[in-house]
Amino acid sequence: MSQLRFKVVETAFDRKALKVEIPKERPTDYYGKYVFNRKKMFEYLPKKTYDALVYAIDNKEPLNREIADSVAAGMKQWAIDNGAKHYTHWFHPLTDGTAEKHDSFIEHDGKGGVMEEFSGKLLVQQEPDASSFPNGGIRNTFEARGYSAWDISSPAFIIDNTLCIPTIFISYTGESLDYKTPLLRALNSVDKAGTAVAQYFDPSVKHVFSYLGWEQEYFLVDEALYAARPDLVMTGRTLMGHESAKNQQLEDHYFGAIPSRVEAFMLDLEIECHKLGIPAKTRHNEVAPNQFELAPIFEETNLANDHNLLLMSLIADVARRHNFRVLLHEKPFAGINGSGKHNNWSLGTDTGVLLFAPGKTPKANLQFITFVANVMAAVYKHNGLLKASISSATNQHRLGANEAPPAIISMFLGSQLTEILDKLEKSTKDELISFANKEQIKLGLSQIPEILLDNTDRNRTSPFAFTGNRFEFRAVGSSANCASAMIALNAAVAHQLTEFKASVDKRVADGEAIEHAILTEVKALITFSKPIHFDGNGYSDEWKEEAARRGLDCETSTPLIFDAYLRPESVDMFAKTGVFSEVELKARNEVKWEIYTKKIQIESRVLGDLATNHILPVATRYQSLLLDNVFKIKSLFPADRGAKIAEQDLSMIEKMAEHMLVIKKSVREMIAARKMANKIESEREKAIAYHDTVYPHMDVIRYHIDKLELMVDDEMWPLPKYRELLFIR
Ligand code: ADP
Ligand code: MG
């Protein structure tokens, strides 16, 4: 064992050999090199095709077949000119990550050879023939084959000599089988609903866009050490490992310089991102050792999400080039911070107004307050659903741990915005009327821009925080597809805006002045949404009690959290916004429960195997060394003296025996619990059983293994320890 350990360190990265090929061109020259963006479209497509395609993209209209053939021809030529040999429909299945099926461009040419072929048929949506496919239960529908079609709002790109076409993935019966389809539906609904409300303030608004700026946190570990940790390889997190003596307590990593080996990796990654049109901008160390962050400039949500998914596969590849492995798991190491993926989210109009940013005029500020109040109401009404949208078997380790938001959704607004909302809420009818008549002084609305500009008020403990011109949804996990959160959030806000508009329109129809109608409704929303607003310490136990008193969703069991998708108010909201049918919601929840079960099942198996095959044998061997020692001492020394000298060893032997007994017993019980759970038919009940009866054993087993780690001879310990994994040399 000790030799293996030695070898591991020897094969670790050689810093002197570190080389990144820095392109001679400037980023502006290679940015988007491998993206079929408008510039390439213009270059490769006939003018008529280019115009039709751009029109379809801008107006969210489908491509017709003739145009599609012409687009496909140009796209193929561009791809081949850039070394592509294959193409793939790139889509986002309900499992983690992305899926691809590669096909070569070649077709028979009828003369015994091949030609390069890529038709419009392969790009755009094909008419499905629903009648020829069975449509049994929900599961059948869900498992039925589907078809994919290019999402023209997201440009094609080339990776590893393959043309990747971002696509939606739908079953033959029309149900979405992916994340992209419902995301596009949610973005459409928030566009419609947002535009209708924004037109109160500016009738020339034609579209409202949703923007997303994600901040991806991750850990890096040395490739060789990673390979020696079966738990990391199989589950993405360490299932055991005692805290190292030095952790993040000095907080020196966050402020520290980026290690040069990591810097080389980051530079390489950024260059790759830029070539693929991902606007990577910010990089820094995070709080925990070996933890880092990458953030791009925000983009329209659908594109931003494609870019995040692309980044998640890119980062893994680039890390390997540098003999690193990247860990995107939310909690790879116990006892130190986990990783999140803050979703900075905002809405903006096609006229260039950010709707969560205060404006320069009272009217603009009324618009700002209107949109903020509607977001508050949406988040309040759907707090359980929003939590479900970010919940997973992996994120459950992070939420509620010391460094991450609790498993309760609340909203941070900051003192200045709070003050403005309070004023508005307390204003009398007369004051509202006077504001509506543009005598806004009493409400202080005209002062908003100045005050909010220096809003440096940052509360890191809030899962959903207002940060000056956007909201930051911080509860999203680092390995998640942001679409899940963005679907729920945009749909909930769209639904709320539609209801708001209906109420305002009714008042106006009854003869109220429009500004007054808006203010009255906004005031009502502020009062209604009070329980969601919390600026205090989200990590505290008092908050958990307070949140329960306020009626916020405090469920902590992930399988039960998923129930929120099927509550009547969620089903209604998703139906009205056209984002999910009830059939889709049910089917998708089945998948969520199934994935939950499988993840815990795999972890539990790996832990059981490691305990039985790695830890217990080594502990036994060390224990028997100690026993041997005791025997020898006792045979050499007089009885009294011998007993005294052997005392420590004996006590160690006994302590080890106790830990080993608990481990053996718990592994046995865990396996029995798994067997019971596996017999359950219902995916929901099975997931609950895994959560309630399998998972608790894992904590117990880990606790006792970690104790043994501190006792057993370091040379014998079979796994790299935290101190080795966590400090990059
Ligand atoms: P932090 O201090 O939280 O790390 P950053 O300045 O790094 O904030 O920004 C985080 C992300 O928020 C970036 O991706 C940035 O582009 C994005 N962002 C900034 N403004 C907006 C906005 N109005 N809407 C959406 N995202 C935004
Ligand atoms: Mg942030």
Side-chain angles (χ1 to χ4, degrees):
M1 259 323 133
S2 62
Q3 263 168 6
L4 171 71
R5 187 76 143 304
F6 180 66
K7 250 167 66 200
V8 164
V9 175
E10 278 295 281
T11 57
F13 192 79
D14 174 4
R15 197 201 281 198
K16 280 183 242 98
L18 182 153
K19 241 197 269 157
V20 183
E21 258 186 62
I22 300 173
K24 294 212 174 52
E25 308 105 316
R26 294 159 47 182
T28 43
D29 298 324
Y30 57 79
Y31 189 84
K33 184 173 174 191
Y34 294 123
V35 185
F36 194 58
N37 55 22
R38 289 189 186 200
K39 201 167 140 225
K40 300 333 162 5
M41 288 174 187
F42 189 75
E43 197 181 323
Y44 278 88
L45 302 178
K47 177 82 172 69
K48 201 175 124 223
T49 308
Y50 173 82
D51 288 343
L53 179 57
V54 167
Y55 181 86
I57 294 171
D58 289 345
N59 295 283
K60 300 186 180 179
E61 287 188 7
L63 268 192
N64 70 39
R65 203 32 218 286
E66 297 91 83
I67 296 294
D69 276 334
S70 176
V71 173
M75 195 188 274
K76 182 190 75 179
Q77 194 53 49
W78 167 76
I80 290 171
D81 285 354
N82 284 280
K85 303 268 184 284
H86 291 76
Y87 68 90
T88 180
H89 276 197
W90 183 78
F91 61 96
H92 313 158
L94 297 178
T95 49
D96 295 337
T98 53
E100 305 163 7
K101 175 176 155 284
H102 293 205
D103 284 303
S104 153
F105 285 121
I106 60 165
E107 292 287 346
H108 286 298
D109 66 358
K111 302 183 193 84
V114 289
M115 56 186 191
E116 284 159 331
E117 174 77 26
F118 182 58
S119 70
K121 190 176 84 192
L122 297 166
L123 258 188
V124 293
Q125 185 167 330
Q126 300 159 314
E127 273 313 309
D129 179 6
S131 62
S132 62
F133 282 87
N135 184 6
I138 302 159
R139 295 290 299 164
N140 285 346
T141 309
F142 220 74
E143 279 160 4
R145 284 179 48 219
Y147 65 89
S148 55
W150 182 30
D151 159 23
I152 60 170
S153 62
S154 183
F157 53 89
I158 298 172
I159 290 191
D160 293 340
N161 301 318
T162 300
L163 170 67
C164 300
I165 302 158
T167 54
I168 54 168
F169 185 41
I170 317 178
S171 77
Y172 278 87
T173 44
E175 278 90 19
S176 59
L177 299 175
D178 66 347
Y179 278 112
K180 195 186 245 298
T181 308
L183 178 63
L184 289 169
R185 292 178 187 156
L187 297 176
N188 251 335
S189 71
V190 85
D191 178 3
K192 280 209 191 80
T195 302
V197 172
Q199 281 174 346
Y200 282 140
F201 305 91
D202 177 2
S204 74
V205 170
K206 288 197 187 61
H207 286 291
V208 162
F209 301 115
S210 163
Y211 295 110
L212 167 63
W214 42 264
E215 302 167 53
Q216 179 74 54
E217 293 180 340
Y218 59 92
F219 280 86
L220 288 174
V221 289
D222 185 90
E223 169 110 50
L225 297 173
Y226 171 89
R229 289 284 314 215
D231 48 356
L232 275 183
V233 174
M234 315 279 255
T235 73
R237 76 176 178 109
T238 55
L239 298 173
M240 56 188 69
H242 199 279
E243 276 183 41
S244 71
K246 177 178 189 282
N247 249 332
Q248 61 188 47
Q249 61 272 64
L250 295 175
E251 297 183 342
D252 49 354
H253 188 64
Y254 192 73
F255 299 107
I258 298 173
S260 55
R261 182 180 163 194
V262 176
E263 206 167 73
F265 152 78
M266 285 176 164
L267 179 61
D268 204 1
L269 177 62
E270 281 160 7
I271 293 167
E272 294 293 339
C273 281
H274 290 163
K275 284 183 190 163
L276 283 164
I278 304 171
K281 185 167 170 71
T282 309
R283 53 156 118 146
H284 58 77
N285 287 348
E286 267 301 328
V287 177
N290 273 18
Q291 193 188 24
F292 307 94
E293 179 187 295
L294 179 142
I297 302 170
F298 71 95
E299 299 175 285
E300 185 278 320
T301 297
N302 177 42
L303 185 61
N305 191 46
D306 278 2
H307 281 163
N308 180 244
L309 289 163
L310 198 49
L311 179 273
M312 288 201 282
S313 62
L314 208 55
I315 197 171
D317 292 345
V318 177
R320 294 193 69 173
R321 290 216 285 259
H322 294 256
N323 291 10
F324 281 131
R325 286 294 186 139
V326 66
L327 306 179
L328 295 177
H329 194 289
E330 282 78 358
K331 195 81 181 176
F333 303 99
I336 56 173
N337 280 14
S339 300
K341 179 152 54 196
H342 295 176
N343 276 205
N344 293 269
W345 169 79
S346 65
L347 295 175
T349 65
D350 58 343
T351 54
V353 175
L354 276 182
L355 292 163
F356 306 139
K360 291 203 167 54
T361 62
K363 192 170 174 182
N365 281 329
L366 179 56
Q367 171 164 270
F368 158 66
I369 297 289
T370 299
F371 276 87
V372 166
N374 274 286
V375 172
M376 286 175 69
V379 174
Y380 176 42
K381 281 183 192 164
H382 298 285
N383 70 87
L385 175 67
L386 286 168
K387 180 164 71 183
S389 79
I390 54 91
S391 288
S392 65
T394 51
N395 206 15
Q396 78 178 13
H397 298 289
R398 171 178 165 259
L399 296 182
N402 284 333
E403 82 290 355
I408 300 166
I409 300 294
S410 64
M411 248 171 122
F412 170 87
L413 297 175
S415 53
Q416 288 138 349
L417 185 53
T418 304
E419 197 184 315
I420 291 159
L421 296 182
D422 280 351
K423 255 188 194 165
L424 191 51
E425 198 202 357
K426 291 197 189 85
S427 57
T428 61
K429 194 156 182 252
D430 287 346
E431 283 168 330
L432 285 185
I433 289 171
S434 78
F435 177 77
N437 291 333
K438 311 256 184 306
E439 291 166 23
Q440 69 285 347
I441 302 94
K442 285 202 183 102
L443 283 172
L445 283 169
S446 59
Q447 270 102 3
I448 295 175
E450 289 83 33
I451 340 174
L452 286 190
L453 268 184
D454 50 74
N455 182 1
T456 43
D457 213 354
R458 288 293 190 99
N459 180 330
R460 300 262 162 207
T461 70
S462 175
F464 198 98
F466 176 70
T467 50
N469 64 358
R470 62 188 186 269
F471 289 94
E472 201 170 318
F473 195 1
R474 301 207 184 104
V476 183
S478 50
S479 73
N481 183 328
C482 305
S484 181
M486 287 294 108
I487 291 165
L489 179 59
N490 285 288
V493 169
H495 183 242
Q496 172 57 38
L497 286 167
T498 304
E499 289 194 341
F500 173 80
K501 173 148 194 320
S503 311
V504 171
D505 286 353
K506 189 168 175 300
R507 286 180 180 277
V508 174
D510 292 344
E512 240 175 83
I514 180 131
E515 267 101 351
H516 188 257
I518 291 173
L519 272 170
T520 313
E521 287 300 326
V522 165
K523 186 177 153 172
L525 287 182
I526 295 169
T527 310
F528 166 78
S529 316
K530 276 238 149 121
I532 197 72
H533 178 196
F534 177 65
D535 279 6
N537 179 5
Y539 298 171
S540 69
D541 286 334
E542 298 84 71
W543 168 234
K544 285 183 200 146
E545 288 159 26
E546 166 70 14
R549 275 197 297 278
R550 294 186 186 190
L552 297 178
D553 190 316
C554 297
E555 183 57 59
T556 57
S557 156
T558 304
L560 293 177
I561 288 173
F562 292 150
D563 285 347
Y565 274 101
L566 299 175
R567 290 202 189 106
E569 60 274 25
S570 305
V571 174
D572 179 63
M573 182 278 281
F574 282 127
K576 288 204 171 116
T577 49
V579 172
F580 287 126
S581 66
E582 190 167 0
V583 172
E584 285 175 308
L585 286 171
K586 282 189 174 150
R588 296 171 85 97
N589 256 28
E590 294 287 298
V591 176
K592 286 194 211 324
W593 284 313
E594 193 184 325
I595 291 175
Y596 180 88
T597 296
K598 284 187 177 155
K599 291 231 163 139
I600 306 292
Q601 190 178 54
I602 292 169
E603 286 191 345
S604 149
R605 284 180 181 156
V606 172
L607 180 61
D609 290 353
L610 280 178
T612 310
N613 304 328
H614 285 60
I615 307 302
L616 289 173
V618 167
T620 309
R621 215 164 353 121
Y622 182 61
Q623 195 188 34
S624 106
L625 276 181
L626 291 178
L627 279 167
D628 208 33
N629 195 37
V630 171
F631 269 107
K632 286 175 184 159
I633 288 169
K634 290 206 170 171
S635 66
L636 276 177
F637 290 93
D640 277 8
R641 186 77 186 123
K644 182 124 187 64
I645 296 174
E647 197 183 299
Q648 291 301 322
D649 280 353
L650 271 172
S651 129
M652 179 82 113
I653 290 163
E654 221 179 322
K655 276 192 202 136
M656 286 181 68
E658 277 162 22
H659 292 305
M660 288 156 75
L661 278 174
V662 182
I663 293 171
K664 284 178 199 163
K665 178 167 167 285
S666 300
V667 169
R668 259 199 326 273
E669 287 173 5
M670 181 171 74
I671 294 171
R674 237 166 40 214
K675 283 192 175 146
M676 292 283 284
N678 291 345
K679 290 202 191 99
I680 301 173
E681 287 259 322
S682 146
E683 291 295 351
R684 179 177 178 275
E685 298 306 319
K686 197 193 289 186
I688 293 171
Y690 264 88
H691 177 275
D692 293 354
T693 68
V694 177
Y695 183 72
H697 293 296
M698 296 180 60
D699 278 343
V700 175
I701 296 168
R702 179 192 183 125
Y703 174 83
H704 291 278
I705 291 180
D706 290 355
K707 289 285 179 208
L708 286 176
E709 187 189 309
L710 295 182
M711 298 176 176
V712 173
D713 178 2
D714 181 63
E715 277 203 6
M716 293 173 93
W717 195 252
L719 302 171
K721 294 180 177 177
Y722 270 26
R723 65 163 185 268
E724 292 158 314
L725 291 167
L726 280 170
F727 294 89
I728 285 176
R729 289 158 291 254

